[in-house]
Amino acid sequence: MVSIVEVVKDESTSIYWSGNDPELMEQNESLQEESVPLKAKEASEDSPIVKRLRYLAEPFPRNAYRPLQFLVNGQLLTGGISAMTDSQIAIEVKQESKDLNEIRTLNLQEIEEVFWKGTPFS
């Protein structure tokens, strides 16, 4: 049995207004100043494991490094990366005792370690 999960990436929207209202322009400038450090902070806070996962989700490594093992809450999941967004990863988990694959969607922060051939992937 195979479960298929569709991953959709949302695009952000911006609101624009016309006119030369100085108060609105001032509010817009302050909002932009606040949002830039947050985005920079989020990008710089990627843990080493998240950086490895981003690499492993690219087309060539996704196929070359199979099967991977993911340590999640003290449990090892064996399989491969099927999709990845900014905050989540979809893993095609292979069940050794059964002939079925399932896709699990996890938050990137839940993954404690990634193993390939029994050793931590670096």
Side-chain angles (χ1 to χ4, degrees):
M1 181 175 156
V2 176
S3 299
I4 298 175
V5 177
E6 182 178 348
V7 179
V8 179
K9 188 173 184 178
D10 292 333
E11 293 185 26
S12 65
T13 58
S14 300
I15 299 173
Y16 299 95
W17 63 86
S18 61
N20 294 327
D21 187 355
E23 185 178 323
L24 288 175
M25 291 176 74
E26 198 172 298
Q27 288 176 353
N28 182 34
E29 288 173 4
S30 67
L31 286 174
Q32 286 178 351
E33 289 172 5
E34 290 174 10
S35 66
V36 170
L38 290 176
K39 288 180 183 176
K41 185 178 177 183
E42 287 173 4
S44 67
E45 285 186 6
D46 277 353
S47 70
I49 294 171
V50 173
K51 288 179 183 177
R52 287 183 214 136
L53 290 171
R54 291 193 195 289
Y55 169 74
L56 290 167
E58 293 177 10
F60 177 76
R62 183 184 297 181
N63 292 318
Y65 298 105
R66 278 188 172 244
L68 293 170
Q69 291 181 311
F70 304 90
L71 183 61
V72 180
N73 299 325
Q75 178 185 6
L76 276 178
L77 302 175
T78 302
I81 298 172
S82 71
M84 187 168 173
T85 65
D86 290 337
S87 62
Q88 293 186 330
I89 187 166
I91 300 172
E92 184 179 345
V93 179
K94 297 183 187 267
Q95 302 291 335
E96 292 180 14
S97 61
K98 302 174 187 171
D99 286 335
L100 65 98
N101 296 334
E102 75 176 279
I103 295 180
R104 291 196 188 171
T105 305
L106 305 167
N107 289 326
L108 292 175
Q109 306 308 323
E110 290 181 272
I111 299 176
E112 300 166 21
E113 188 60 73
V114 179
F115 299 95
W116 183 59
K117 293 187 176 181
T119 58
F121 188 84
S122 56

